[in-house]
Amino acid sequence: MKTRRSRVAAALASAGAAGISGQTLADALGVSRVAVAKHIAALRDAGYGIDAVRGEGYSLVSLPANLVPVEVERLVTDAFWVCIEGAEETGSTNDDAREHARTGSAEGTAIVVGRQTAGKGRLGREWTSPEGGAYLSALLRPPCALTEVASLAPACALGVAYGLESLGVTCALKWPNDVQIDGKKVAGLLLEMSAETDRVEWVAAGCGVNVRHSTSCPENAAFVADFSDASPSAVAAAVLDGLARAYREFLAGGFAAMRDAYDARHSLIGAEVTVRDMTGAIVASGVVNGVDSSARLVLRGPDGTTPVVAGEVTLRD
Ligand code: BTN
């Protein structure tokens, strides 16, 4: 269910240069013209350029340059998203999603922001989150056991690829959760959860996407802006729609049903790699065959194949 504010933004966008009268907006939304004027003021504050012509109404002249939650809500199409919240900035959207989970928010709640001050990456790393990126977390409540949920992170990475591809961007996946363009990382995922052995209570699926260039992004990063003129809000909306699609596929058939789609984009296939654990110790090495139906990385070596459950992959020279 879209909020009134995003419906005002949607009505302005579809009216185009012709504009729309305050009374038409008020009638369509079932609110007073004073309420419409308040929504218009809030949209202007959020970065929408809206012209007002006395007696004629409002017309949208520009969209916000940075990520704005109401714009993400306007652009999202998948009904899976029941609530899209956010702000210009937060500490970590995953922490915000955790708080939503704790207070009973529904599956399909998403938190989207334009900057993070305490963004978290995998393996306890920091995720630099400057303005110009898209940072979001999705609250999921998958009806499955802890053992089954391990493959949800690669499934979500596939969802992010679906989303970016819908914007015309060709991307690849690097096991387990990295999304790449031309061999460079454009997006990463961090899934945090609360679970008992045989029941997952909630999952916060957090995704950070490099949209526009920033001096504080790592040197080896890729940026959506080099391949698409989609705004950070449009990127966040596309990623949310991709995540919803992937989550539906995961619930319907498990990762096994997504494995071919994952491997079709898998940049590591055929590469000689080393996998290390959090301490840097080598877990396995070999040539990548692909992933198995549980999303484990299958390595081929002199002694046959080895499935790897977790770790950080590096290419061998
Ligand atoms: C990685 O290390 O590749 C995972 C990065 C995940 C970053 C995202 S940004 C939105 C969400 N909030 C966080 O604090 N982290 C994730």
Side-chain angles (χ1 to χ4, degrees), residues 275-291:
V275 186
R276 293 187 164 79
D277 68 14
M278 282 183 77
T279 67
I282 293 180
V283 175
S285 52
V287 176
V288 175
N289 257 3
V291 288

Side-chain angles (χ1 to χ4, degrees), residues 92-94 116 119-122 127 136-137 185 188-189 206-208:
S92 156
T93 54
N94 266 26
Q116 293 184 124
K120 299 184 285 186
R122 285 179 63 232
W127 182 260
L136 57 95
S137 295
K185 184 161 170 173
L189 279 138
C207 175

Side-chain angles (χ1 to χ4, degrees), residues 22-275:
Q23 191 58 55
T24 307
L25 277 171
D27 292 345
L29 269 70
V31 297
S32 68
R33 288 189 61 170
V34 174
V36 166
K38 281 188 184 154
H39 287 304
I40 296 284
L43 290 173
R44 282 189 177 130
D45 283 349
Y48 290 82
I50 301 170
D51 278 352
V53 182
R54 184 169 279 282
E56 286 185 33
Y58 304 99
S59 72
L60 184 65
V61 290
S62 64
L63 292 166
N66 288 324
L67 188 143
V68 171
V70 70
E71 179 66 358
V72 179
E73 192 191 335
R74 176 179 82 82
L75 294 169
V76 143
T77 58
D78 202 299
F80 175 77
W81 302 109
V82 295
C83 171
I84 294 178
E85 282 198 0
E88 265 177 52
E89 176 185 291
T90 192
S92 156
T93 54
N94 266 26
D95 290 346
D96 296 346
R98 174 189 296 268
E99 189 54 21
H100 270 279
R102 202 186 58 77
T103 54
S105 293
E107 171 167 86
T109 298
I111 298 99
V112 295
V113 302
R115 292 191 299 270
Q116 293 184 124
T117 52
K120 299 184 285 186
R122 285 179 63 232
L123 307 170
R125 296 181 190 134
E126 180 195 353
W127 182 260
T128 313
S129 311
E131 194 159 283
Y135 312 100
L136 57 95
S137 295
L139 176 60
L140 308 176
R141 297 187 183 276
C144 58
L146 190 52
T147 46
E148 296 163 84
V149 89
S151 55
L152 181 56
C156 287
L158 178 59
V160 175
Y162 289 157
L164 296 181
E165 286 163 6
S166 74
L167 300 171
V169 178
T170 303
C171 40
L173 299 171
K174 180 187 171 215
W175 186 88
N177 310 340
D178 285 359
V179 184
Q180 301 177 314
I181 299 177
D182 287 344
K184 293 179 177 174
K185 184 161 170 173
V186 67
L189 279 138
L190 173 68
L191 267 64
E192 298 182 278
M193 64 192 71
S194 165
E196 296 163 17
T197 312
D198 42 16
R199 189 183 72 97
V200 173
E201 194 195 347
W202 56 262
V203 174
C207 175
V209 188
N210 306 323
V211 183
R212 301 216 176 97
H213 287 260
S214 158
T215 45
S216 42
C217 280
E219 261 175 36
N220 58 349
F223 294 86
V224 174
D226 289 331
F227 305 89
S228 157
D229 58 7
S231 68
S233 300
V235 170
V239 165
L240 285 175
D241 282 338
L243 282 172
R245 174 182 161 195
Y247 185 54
R248 246 193 312 274
E249 289 176 2
F250 180 83
L251 293 182
F255 187 81
M258 311 173 77
R259 173 187 170 181
D260 289 348
Y262 187 100
D263 268 347
R265 296 164 174 82
H266 197 166
S267 65
L268 293 174
I269 289 182
E272 265 204 66
V273 301
T274 300
V275 186

